[in-house]
């Protein structure tokens, strides 16, 4: 109860700040104003929102694509060693903080990092690829952050599929690919939907990854809030951005769910 | 009899150190209904999975309709299988479920629709074509599973304990219905069960299995009246076992002594025994009846079952003997503690080495 009350108070404070005017050079805000929300419509800020939505969407989809084979192998592997190996690879990143994982990626993605080293050693590239401070680099690291949760959600859904259903399909003459497309995949839909929405919402709040790997060139809402609040000390505008981000997440998730509803109907048991 | 529908030539399967199936030999004729009967862990499900192709045999060959299928993947074997859980696709309606095998075979839409309709009519479910499987009762799900397996015109129909989830009345009804459909279509059927009543009432032949071996393959009558193994005699039907000795063998029959009396039994199970060796005599309770000249004992317990009653009779020097008598008679004449004499004039005893 106390924690919930604390959250409510904090939210109320943010909401209050969002509708106050910023007085340049002052930490204390001015009087009531909706100017923060007008300011937000400027292409500079609107662009950050669009970038954030795109990055969230891409991260969710790419995480899903990477997580599905892992989850399937995790649930279906018969060899216990293989099972634990998959589990360790896919789930342990969850226990390293976002910052540590992000620093690891800085080492891997840098101009003289592992990726560029390996590619140029193999003779595939002449010039090092620019991965740091690009959206591609941010996406790679974000997918890594989101992957464990999506794997866990998919694995839960896949483990609920009765193997007899796949056996029945095979006995009825369906080849393995057909069994996968007509039975396994549709019945994984609850996990796919949960994984996509969670991946999306999870990424929306990402801060350290776009901050460190994006290095100011890839901005998401949380980075904008940070730089406005703690570099410009424009607390009212930062608060207004937070509120807008929250609303946008809710709207985007609702839209996401609406888009996915036909898929869910396929999967309802 | 027609041609050969299924043949197993010495099929074996191990799981680690456990021999799940040891050298199974089996010949099934076209149109036959053969049951694999045995307790759990006897290898009957392993055998069915080997026939279906879900498992690969370690040794031996499997032929379906004369074709060698040992290496053939499941989806090319053209078999109809009904699972214990029915395994209906929860994301498809009844018609889609039944049509699944036809779509996998690339049957044209019009042809598939016609055959699905036909199959649903066969199991009397035409009215429920649009329902989801979760909206069906257990018996209806069972019929959908059967229609789905039959619509592809399988070379074999494989049934894995399909009635175990149904209550008793529905089970009897479904057994009759399945048997009727099987006979009408003449589809060769391999049925797995641990329920001896089911096996006896439905099968043309029964393969009794224990510990990975087929102990006896015979008609239900042969299994019941001429069991080849002590396990078969005790697993199928009830039996009282009395210890005794082999007196002598006379060709096809042998003379044994138990409970102070002499019995004539088939020689076959006693071939390897010396005269005087210990045996166990198996007596069916319904073959025994109270008789004036019988073996004296007292009623130790009585279970009244309506049409009949089961009496356990304590016979001094022999042990307890189970017999079945008409229910009314038991109520009036055989209360617990009553003296009784057991007669063996209708008995068909068998004996096995002790």
């Amino acid at each position: 109860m106390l924690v919930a009350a604390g959250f409510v108070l904090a939210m109320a404070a943010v909401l209050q700040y969002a509708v106050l005017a910023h007085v340049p050079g002052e930490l204390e805000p001015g009087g009531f104003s909706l100017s923060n929300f007008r300011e937000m419509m400027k292409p500079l800020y609107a662009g950050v929102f669009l970038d954030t939505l795109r990055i969230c969407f891409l991260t969710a989809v790419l995480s899903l694509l990477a997580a599905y084979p892992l989850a399937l192998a995790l649930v279906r592997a018969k060899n216990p060693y293989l099972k634990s190996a998959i589990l360790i690879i896919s789930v342990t990143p969850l226990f390293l903080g976002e910052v540590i994982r992000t620093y690891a990626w800085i080492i891997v993605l840098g101009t003289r990092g592992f990726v560029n080293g390996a590619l140029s050693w193999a003779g595939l590239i002449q010039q090092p690829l620019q991965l740091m401070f690009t959206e591609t680099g941010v996406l790679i690291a974000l997918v890594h952050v989101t992957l464990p949760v999506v794997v866990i959600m998919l694995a839960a859904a896949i483990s609920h599929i009765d193997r007899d259903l796949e056996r029945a399909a095979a006995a009825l003459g369906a080849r393995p690919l057909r069994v996968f497309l007509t039975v396994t995949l549709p019945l994984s839909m609850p996990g796919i939907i949960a994984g996509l929405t969670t991946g999306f919402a999870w990424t929306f709040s990402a801060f350290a990854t776009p901050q460190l790997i994006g290095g100011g060139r890839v901005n998401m809402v949380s980075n904008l809030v940070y730089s406005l609040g703690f570099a410009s000390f424009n607390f009212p505008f930062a608060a207004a951005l937070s509120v807008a981000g929250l609303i946008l997440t809710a709207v985007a998730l609702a839209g996401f769910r609406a888009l996915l509803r036909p898929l869910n109907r396929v999967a309802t048991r | 009899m027609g041609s050969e529908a299924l043949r197993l030539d010495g099929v074996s399967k191990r799981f680690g150190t456990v021999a799940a199936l040891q050298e199974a030999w089996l010949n099934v004729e076209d149109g036959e209904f053969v049951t694999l009967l045995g307790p759990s862990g006897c290898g009957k499900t392993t055998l069915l999975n080997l026939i279906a192709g879900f498992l690969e045999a370690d040794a031996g060959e499997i032929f379906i309709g004369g074709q060698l299928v040992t290496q053939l993947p499941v989806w090319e074997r053209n078999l109809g299988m009904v699972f214990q859980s029915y395994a209906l696709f929860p994301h498809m309606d009844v018609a889609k479920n039944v049509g699944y095998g036809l779509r996998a075979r690339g049957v044209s839409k019009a042809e598939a629709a016609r055959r699905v309709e036909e199959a649903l009519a066969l199991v009397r479910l035409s009215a429920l074509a649009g329902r989801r499987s979760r909206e069906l009762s257990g018996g209806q799900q069972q019929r959908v599973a059967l229609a789905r397996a039959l619509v592809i015109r399988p070379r074999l129909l494989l049934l894995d304990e399909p009635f175990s989830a149904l209550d008793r009345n529905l089970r009897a009804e479904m057994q009759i219905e399945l048997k009727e459909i099987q006979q009408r279509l003449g589809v060769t059927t391999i049925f797995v069960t641990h329920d001896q009543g089911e096996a006896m009432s439905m099968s043309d032949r029964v393969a009794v299995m224990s510990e990975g071996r087929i102990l006896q393959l015979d008609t239900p009558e042969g299994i019941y009246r001429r069991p080849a193994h002590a396990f078969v005699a005790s697993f199928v039907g009830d039996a009282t076992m009395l210890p005794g000795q082999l007196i002598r063998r006379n060709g096809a029959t042998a003379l044994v002594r138990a409970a102070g009396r002499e019995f004539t039994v088939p020689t076959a199970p006693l071939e390897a025994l010396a005269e005087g060796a210990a045996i166990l005599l198996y007596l069916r309770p319904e073959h025994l009846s109270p008789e004036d000249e019988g073996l004296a004992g007292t009623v130790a317990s009585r279970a009244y079952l309506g049409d009949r009653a089961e009496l356990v009779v304590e016979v001094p020097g022999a042990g307890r003997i189970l017999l079945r008598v008409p229910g009314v008679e038991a109520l009036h004449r055989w209360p617990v503690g009553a003296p009784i004499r057991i007669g063996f004039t209708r008995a068909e005893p068998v004996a096995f080495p002790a």
Side-chain angles (χ1 to χ4, degrees):
Chain A
M1 275 304 285
L2 218 63
V3 175
F7 275 129
V8 170
L9 282 176
M11 278 307 296
V14 170
L15 273 172
Q16 190 206 344
Y17 260 87
V19 291
L20 296 177
H22 172 59
V23 184
E26 294 275 344
L27 283 180
E28 284 302 310
F32 176 83
S33 158
L34 286 176
S35 62
N36 294 324
F37 290 94
R38 266 196 303 277
E39 181 80 5
M40 230 180 278
M41 295 303 149
K42 284 189 178 168
L44 174 67
Y45 301 121
V48 172
F49 277 104
L50 286 180
D51 284 352
T52 306
L53 283 180
R54 189 183 62 247
I55 290 171
C56 289
F57 179 76
L58 286 174
T59 306
V61 170
L62 292 173
S63 300
L64 181 74
L65 292 179
Y68 197 94
L70 279 174
L72 193 64
L74 179 63
V75 175
R76 296 294 165 80
K78 286 199 185 79
N79 185 329
Y81 296 106
L82 183 60
K83 235 184 168 80
S84 356
I86 298 168
L87 192 68
I88 288 167
I89 290 168
S90 56
V91 179
T92 38
L94 196 60
F95 302 111
L96 304 168
E98 193 189 346
V99 176
I100 294 173
R101 273 184 279 180
T102 302
Y103 270 110
W105 278 109
I106 290 174
I107 296 166
V108 173
L109 296 175
T111 321
R112 269 173 267 167
F114 173 77
V115 172
N116 278 314
L119 287 176
S120 65
W121 179 82
L124 292 173
I125 51 167
Q126 308 299 321
Q127 300 277 321
L129 292 175
Q130 183 62 44
L131 291 168
M132 281 300 292
F133 316 121
T134 65
E135 195 173 302
T136 310
V138 172
L139 270 178
I140 291 172
L142 281 175
V143 166
H144 184 236
V145 172
T146 320
L147 196 67
V149 186
V150 182
V151 168
I152 290 170
M153 290 185 153
L154 285 173
I158 293 169
S159 65
H160 277 107
I161 300 174
D162 180 1
R163 295 305 301 271
D164 273 353
L165 295 174
E166 291 164 352
R167 285 149 52 99
L172 287 166
R175 290 168 172 280
L177 181 63
R178 191 184 188 92
V179 173
F180 176 75
L181 292 176
T182 58
V183 178
T184 318
L185 195 58
L187 292 178
S188 325
M189 218 40 97
I192 290 174
I193 291 167
L196 276 178
T197 37
T198 311
F200 189 91
W202 194 277
T203 308
F204 210 98
S205 61
F207 170 72
T209 306
Q211 184 78 9
L212 294 172
I213 295 183
R217 281 184 231 186
V218 181
N219 276 316
M220 291 177 67
V221 174
S222 52
N223 307 118
L224 195 57
V225 170
Y226 174 80
S227 62
L228 282 169
F230 297 96
S232 316
F233 296 103
N234 187 345
F235 292 140
F237 192 38
L241 277 172
S242 307
V243 171
L246 201 65
I247 293 167
L248 193 64
T249 315
V251 170
L253 281 178
F256 223 54
R257 286 208 169 266
L259 271 175
L260 294 171
R261 199 166 299 139
L263 295 180
N264 202 14
R265 203 171 301 139
V266 165
T268 43
R269 287 183 160 230
Chain B
M1 276 292 178
S3 55
E4 168 195 284
L6 170 70
R7 189 169 98 226
L8 303 182
D9 282 357
V11 175
S12 299
K13 178 72 187 174
R14 304 184 70 83
F15 294 119
T17 56
V18 181
L21 192 68
Q22 302 181 53
E23 284 219 24
W25 299 79
L26 186 66
N27 256 296
V28 179
E29 299 286 324
D30 230 6
E32 231 187 334
F33 192 118
V34 171
T35 296
L36 309 178
L37 173 69
S40 60
C42 72
K44 57 189 193 297
T45 301
T46 302
L47 182 49
L48 194 77
N49 283 334
L50 284 163
I51 297 169
F54 295 127
L55 291 176
E56 217 173 295
D58 296 333
E61 303 288 3
I62 301 170
F63 297 85
I64 295 175
Q67 182 199 0
L68 178 69
V69 301
T70 318
Q71 303 295 328
L72 206 63
V74 184
W75 55 90
E76 285 175 17
R77 292 197 184 188
N78 198 23
L79 308 173
M81 178 132 181
V82 175
F83 292 80
Q84 194 169 0
S85 60
Y86 314 136
L88 297 184
F89 303 124
H91 54 304
M92 300 178 194
D93 63 18
V94 167
K96 279 256 162 60
N97 260 286
V98 176
Y100 189 91
L102 299 174
R103 289 196 297 281
R105 280 168 175 69
V107 173
S108 78
K109 268 200 170 143
E111 163 86 357
R114 194 182 58 73
R115 280 168 66 178
V116 167
E117 216 169 287
E118 213 175 83
L120 285 175
L122 183 73
V123 297
R124 301 186 288 117
L125 277 185
S126 304
L128 302 182
R131 292 276 188 92
R132 286 292 183 88
S133 60
R134 61 158 187 268
E135 301 165 344
L136 302 177
S137 70
Q140 288 167 339
Q141 290 188 28
Q142 165 101 79
R143 296 214 284 263
V144 175
L146 185 62
R148 185 177 68 176
L150 288 171
V151 76
I152 60 173
R153 294 171 190 156
R155 292 190 289 186
L156 289 178
L157 178 61
L158 308 178
L159 306 165
D160 186 9
E161 308 227 11
F163 303 124
S164 57
L166 301 179
D167 63 53
R168 202 164 153 265
N169 292 331
L170 191 55
R171 189 182 303 189
E173 202 178 296
M174 285 306 303
Q175 284 169 10
I176 294 168
E177 187 163 345
L178 171 64
K179 186 66 190 171
E180 275 175 14
I181 289 172
Q182 189 265 335
Q183 280 177 332
R184 191 163 356 138
L185 300 180
V187 58
T188 312
T189 302
I190 309 295
F191 180 81
V192 162
T193 185
H194 62 269
D195 181 320
Q196 42 138 326
E198 228 165 70
M200 301 294 277
S201 68
M202 300 179 73
S203 320
D204 295 317
R205 284 191 299 160
V206 179
V208 182
M209 298 182 66
S210 173
E211 294 177 348
R213 292 179 186 281
I214 297 178
L215 296 180
Q216 188 173 3
L217 174 63
D218 207 338
T219 59
E221 190 203 352
I223 294 284
Y224 191 75
R225 298 180 65 183
R226 295 178 297 279
H229 282 258
F231 177 84
V232 177
S234 57
F235 189 75
V236 180
D238 295 317
T240 294
M241 283 159 263
L242 296 178
Q245 290 98 42
L246 173 65
I247 299 173
R248 65 175 175 275
R249 283 189 289 261
N250 308 316
T253 61
L255 203 62
V256 299
R257 170 179 291 278
R261 298 191 165 227
E262 288 182 357
F263 296 89
T264 303
V265 298
T267 305
L270 305 173
E271 286 299 357
L273 285 191
E275 287 181 4
I279 54 108
L280 271 180
L281 185 72
Y282 284 69
L283 294 165
R284 297 288 187 201
E286 71 279 13
H287 290 159
L288 308 178
S289 50
E291 280 171 24
D292 294 342
E293 297 301 303
L295 194 62
T298 47
V299 177
S301 73
R302 180 181 71 181
Y304 175 67
L305 301 168
D307 60 327
R308 62 184 196 280
E310 296 193 336
L311 303 179
V312 175
V313 176
E314 182 78 48
V315 177
R320 294 179 158 225
I321 297 179
L322 180 70
L323 74 155
R324 230 161 248 162
V325 295
V328 186
E329 186 187 317
L331 282 181
H332 293 107
R333 293 188 56 194
W334 314 116
V336 172
I340 189 170
R341 284 177 172 271
I342 302 170
F344 301 98
T345 48
R346 290 190 297 123
E348 297 180 1
V350 277
F352 298 99

